[in-house]
Amino acid sequence: MLRGKKIIVGITGGIAAYKTPILIRLLIKQGAEVKVVATKNAMEFTTTTTLETVSKNKVYNDLFAPTNEYNTEHIALADWADFMIIAPASANCIGKMASGIADDALSTLVLAFNKPIFLCPAMNTNMFNHFSVQENMNKLKNNGIIFIEPTSGELACGVEGKGRMEEPENIVTYITSQHIASYGDFENKSILITAGPTYEKIDAVRFIGNFSTGKMGYALAEEFARRGAKVTLVSGPTQLSVHHPNITKISILSAREMYEAATIHFPDSDVAILSAAVADFRPEVTHNEKIKKSSDSQTMDIHLVQNPDILASLGNMKKDNQLLIGFALETNDEVANAQKKLTKKNLDFIVLNSLQDAGAGFGHDTNKVSFLYKEGKIEHGCLKSKSEVAKDIADRVKNISNF
Ligand code: CTP
């Protein structure tokens, strides 16, 4: 499964580092080439001889070592590898990654690395549960770092609880089954995704918007890019950024701008997934100056006109070899309403979100969705992280396509 893959194994200071040579052996047994980058503290728990013997390569642990081929080793290593596994990842390593600190060979390499990074945390339970470690992990997760969660059990410090590094066998199984197996799913395919809210200007300082954060659409963009697709992400205003180099982001403000970008890119797309929360209406008139309060009126009327329905327009343009997927956000009669949208907008399937489900919808990191297919089949999902929902959607696109 890992034949030809080039992997950097990062090691930080923790007792679990004694298991890392086993991890390296397993990766090599599967056909990977491994280079090791270790911190100074990691070398308190394992040895250069062990790591060099199992990896069959020299160990990098000094940014300025005279043996380095040239002084931008971190860039050369970042270019060389397909992905990186840091095992064990200490609280210190996680904190430095979350803050962008680059003060040794491993942390410098991490900043130069724009490919998948898997982190296998290992630490004392109290450290693991500490709010700062949890916050740092959430920040990294939201920025595309993949965590292989520690397990519970007796830790080296004698305490029982969560914090034990996942076993090397399980780390390899997780990476190969959940990630590597799907890497080429959408190779040479173009995917169009819309995400986030649209803002409809009222005057120079005000707009009509909605609570969408764009998290679902950005998770989709990362997932399809990770599986090899060329992704065009048309995004309304959000706080989010994209990470994968295969994603081209087009930032727009209004529904009409989103419509223009989507209709330009759709003809060249194999799949379009419209997850944006598009404002259905916009003010008919936009004022260039700030509207002032009038002293003789307690009310104000804004006349709204309908925006183009982007999804329905793409449904009209759709060719037989294209797939079109929409979302439906409903508060009542969910399935019936979603079914109507599925048919009316000429979709292959629709992803139904109900605002009645706790933890689902705007702003949450989790989502609970159902899938309704044009043939009539319905699948109900459970509450999952938005990146897991993105995986489920990508799996379904793969299943119904002949890619
Ligand atoms: N959509 C779109 N353009 C619009 C409105 C919606 O592309 N002007 C897309 C959304 O991105 C989503 C789907 O259509 O994929 C359904 O959006 P939703 O807001 O649930 O439904 P509407 O079609 O707007 O219908 P209603 O607001 O009446 O429920």
Side-chain angles (χ1 to χ4, degrees), residues 58-78:
K58 72 171 182 160
V59 171
Y60 303 81
N61 59 7
D62 185 350
L63 259 184
F64 304 106
T67 49
N68 285 356
E69 284 143 34
Y70 46 91
N71 60 8
T72 54
E73 193 76 60
H74 57 295
I75 306 293
L77 279 172

Side-chain angles (χ1 to χ4, degrees), residues 274-276 278 280 308-311 326-329 341 345:
L274 302 208
S275 68
V278 186
D280 287 327
D309 188 318
I310 305 164
L311 186 57
F327 276 72
L329 182 64
K341 287 178 192 172
K345 303 194 189 194

Side-chain angles (χ1 to χ4, degrees), residues 335 339 349-353 368-373 376-382 384 392-393 395-397 399-400:
V335 170
Q339 247 150 359
F349 69 83
I350 193 158
V351 185
L352 167 63
N353 279 99
K368 186 174 170 187
V369 301
S370 303
F371 299 95
L372 281 70
Y373 296 83
K377 189 173 82 172
I378 302 180
E379 294 172 327
H380 294 290
C382 52
K384 293 183 173 181
D392 287 349
I393 293 171
D395 286 344
R396 280 156 182 81
V397 171
N399 284 344
I400 62 166

Side-chain angles (χ1 to χ4, degrees), residues 11 20 26 37 41 73 85 148 157 159 174 178 211 266 272 311 318-319 333 367 383:
I11 315 180
T20 312
L26 292 172
V37 182
N41 287 346
E73 193 76 60
I85 308 169
I148 303 178
C157 53
V159 174
Y174 174 83
Q178 300 290 315
F211 294 118
F266 185 58
L311 186 57
K318 185 177 154 219
K319 303 258 174 355
D333 299 329
N367 211 356
L383 194 67

Side-chain angles (χ1 to χ4, degrees), residues 194-196 198 255 258-259 262 273-281 306-314 325-330 337 341 344-345 347 350-351 353:
T194 66
T198 62
M258 183 174 273
Y259 171 83
I273 307 178
L274 302 208
S275 68
V278 186
D280 287 327
F281 295 92
Q306 206 164 331
N307 272 325
D309 188 318
I310 305 164
L311 186 57
S313 306
L314 300 195
I325 290 106
F327 276 72
L329 182 64
E330 305 294 342
N337 283 332
K341 287 178 192 172
K344 203 168 135 206
K345 303 194 189 194
L347 310 181
I350 193 158
V351 185
N353 279 99

